DNA sequence: CTCTTCATGTAAATCGTTACATGATTCG
DNA sequence: CGAATCATGTAACGATTTACATGAAGAG
């Protein structure tokens, strides 16, 4: 039930096509709610049938028409009702299978896990850079924003803060694991242990 | 596909009933992967048919039997294979409809949003207290743990760090909104300055 | 005597993912 | 020429949620 309200919210300020919405609704909303284009098209159809959004085609040369959706008055009202309704008691639900893998850490997969962490670092740096740019461009003086834009600002800040802390965590984790794989390396070359071949290849401390 | 591996992971150290798993698998895994009891029972049945887990009933007086599941060798092997497999490129996916509501902030729902934030603060404090207790009891000297338990420790730390930062964020948000509702109050009651008391209480960076 | 907890489960509905399809355009 | 991007969609499947159901125990 939240996806439909996420879509209505993304249409508050300007109209969008399904394609636009799918890529990332607005900019920072995508951090707290993700959806594939199939979900969005399906939901847009339903919202359209219920007259919560209105659509009109915009012709383009060569490309297929864009079908552009905008929020109707009743859509706006439904959204406001939902916002005032009771919250789900689910707070900050993270779903990330990497942590399941981390529970299974052992010598044979240590390198693999370290590699995943490296990728995460890259990913988080990119995300942070994007968010920081948005922040500088559009939210540099939060006190002066309208109340609604302060809400958006706060969401953005939540995205920035949790990305930062996750980046810090990744680096802490990598450090701890490097100490470990360093010791592994030592005890292997020292005692001449010939384990499964590619156990401690990369990153010596 | 991740739920099944979460279940197998939870069974690594000790056997559990479906009921136990449903309440929260292990302790901190629940932070990164949630599932209802219906999902878990269904998955356990499948895992049982595939011989990835074994089950036996444990009789109890009065209450219905507990059906206790444990990891089999082939279950362990399947889990290890999955861990070594390619990662989903989805990093730190948060799904929290509160932020959709926050995008819709305006005068009419300001109080409601503030109240939601208060509840979040409570929730985060409770979660943090639980995690810190686990940390003190079982992970006070992370360097000395086995590699696998270091993985669990790192997951726990990720839970602690993101809960902390979310708590900070809530307090920052409340402060910003209190300034706003203070001004609202002022312009409403006229010149009388009766702010809500603790506008500068919390600690942003 | 009702409410909550323990403990398991079925059924239906919705949500989300993966795969496939179309047809023109631009990039290399 | 092959691949990627723009832009929309269908179909099938898998995951998740919500509602319902049972039956005994213990708390208030």
């Amino acid at each position: 039930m939240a996806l439909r309200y996420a879509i209505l919210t993304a249409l508050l300020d300007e109209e969008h096509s399904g394609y636009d919405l799918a890529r990332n609704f607005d900019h920072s909303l995508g951090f707290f709610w993700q959806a594939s284009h199939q979900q969005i098209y399906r939901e847009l159809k339903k919202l359209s049938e219920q007259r919560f959004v209105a659509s009109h085609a915009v012709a383009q040369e060569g490309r297929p028409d864009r079908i552009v959706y905008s929020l109707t008055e009743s859509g706006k009202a439904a959204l406001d009702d939902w916002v005032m309704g009771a919250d789900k008691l689910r707070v900050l639900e993270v779903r990330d299978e990497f942590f399941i893998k981390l529970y299974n850490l052992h010598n044979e997969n240590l390198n693999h896990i370290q590699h995943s962490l490296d990728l995460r670092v890259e990913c988080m740096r990119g995300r942070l850079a994007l968010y920081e740019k948005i922040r500088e461009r559009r939210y540099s003086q939060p006190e002066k924003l309208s109340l609604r834009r302060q809400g958006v600002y706060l969401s953005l800040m939540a995205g920035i803060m949790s990305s930062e802390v996750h980046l810090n965590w990744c680096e802490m984790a990598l450090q701890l694991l490097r100490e470990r794989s360093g010791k592994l390396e030592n005890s292997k070359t020292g005692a001449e242990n010939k384990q499964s071949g590619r156990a401690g290849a990369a990153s010596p401390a």
Side-chain angles (χ1 to χ4, degrees), chain A:
Chain A
M1 274 289 87
L3 173 59
R4 62 183 316 138
Y5 299 110
I7 291 173
L8 295 177
T9 298
L11 297 174
L12 270 176
D13 291 312
E14 35 176 349
E15 48 183 41
H16 289 283
S17 68
Y19 190 83
D20 290 345
L21 290 166
R23 304 210 323 159
N24 51 354
F25 2 160
D26 201 16
H27 289 261
S28 46
L29 231 190
F31 187 75
F32 303 105
W33 206 273
Q34 311 80 37
S36 63
H37 77 273
Q38 292 83 348
Q39 277 177 275
I40 287 173
Y41 284 123
R42 198 167 46 184
E43 203 65 44
L44 279 171
K45 205 155 101 183
K46 276 199 249 166
L47 287 168
S48 203
E49 282 162 12
Q50 290 172 72
R51 311 286 161 196
F52 287 168
V53 300
S55 62
H56 61 104
V58 175
Q60 301 181 121
E61 311 105 77
R63 310 220 167 118
D65 292 1
R66 300 177 76 223
I67 299 174
V68 174
Y69 295 88
S70 54
L71 193 57
T72 63
E73 281 307 310
S74 69
K76 177 94 182 66
L79 179 56
D80 271 340
D81 283 356
W82 175 75
V83 172
M84 286 300 283
D87 295 2
K88 287 250 168 73
L89 22 71
R90 317 176 124 208
V91 175
L92 200 75
E93 274 195 1
V94 181
R95 208 165 257 227
D96 191 330
E97 58 177 52
F98 173 70
F99 291 96
I100 304 173
K101 296 193 174 190
L102 198 50
Y103 265 64
N104 287 275
L105 184 64
H106 54 59
N107 285 332
E108 266 52 58
N109 57 34
L110 178 55
N111 272 293
H112 184 246
I113 296 284
Q114 283 177 314
H115 182 243
S116 302
L117 281 166
D118 288 334
L119 293 178
R120 249 159 213 271
V121 167
E122 284 311 296
C123 177
M124 282 298 119
R125 289 211 178 117
R127 194 181 280 180
L128 255 176
L130 173 67
Y131 289 165
E132 287 289 6
K133 195 171 281 178
I134 295 170
R135 182 190 184 182
E136 280 162 31
R137 292 253 170 94
R138 306 182 54 192
Y139 301 96
S140 58
Q141 289 158 306
E143 320 80 27
K144 294 182 180 171
L145 299 168
S146 70
L147 188 52
R148 189 156 79 73
R149 295 210 47 230
Q150 279 189 339
V152 180
Y153 162 76
L154 286 172
S155 296
L156 179 63
M157 286 307 296
I160 288 175
M161 288 165 77
S162 48
S163 299
E164 268 171 355
V165 86
H166 190 59
L167 188 54
N168 290 155
W169 175 83
C170 286
E171 268 150 13
M172 185 195 87
L174 279 168
Q175 205 183 329
L176 187 72
L177 298 186
R178 269 194 292 264
E179 282 167 28
R180 267 301 177 131
S181 60
K183 278 179 202 165
L184 244 178
E185 196 88 343
N186 287 346
S187 67
K188 219 179 271 171
T189 53
E192 220 131 356
N193 247 335
K194 52 157 196 178
Q195 284 203 339
S196 65
R198 48 189 292 276
S203 66

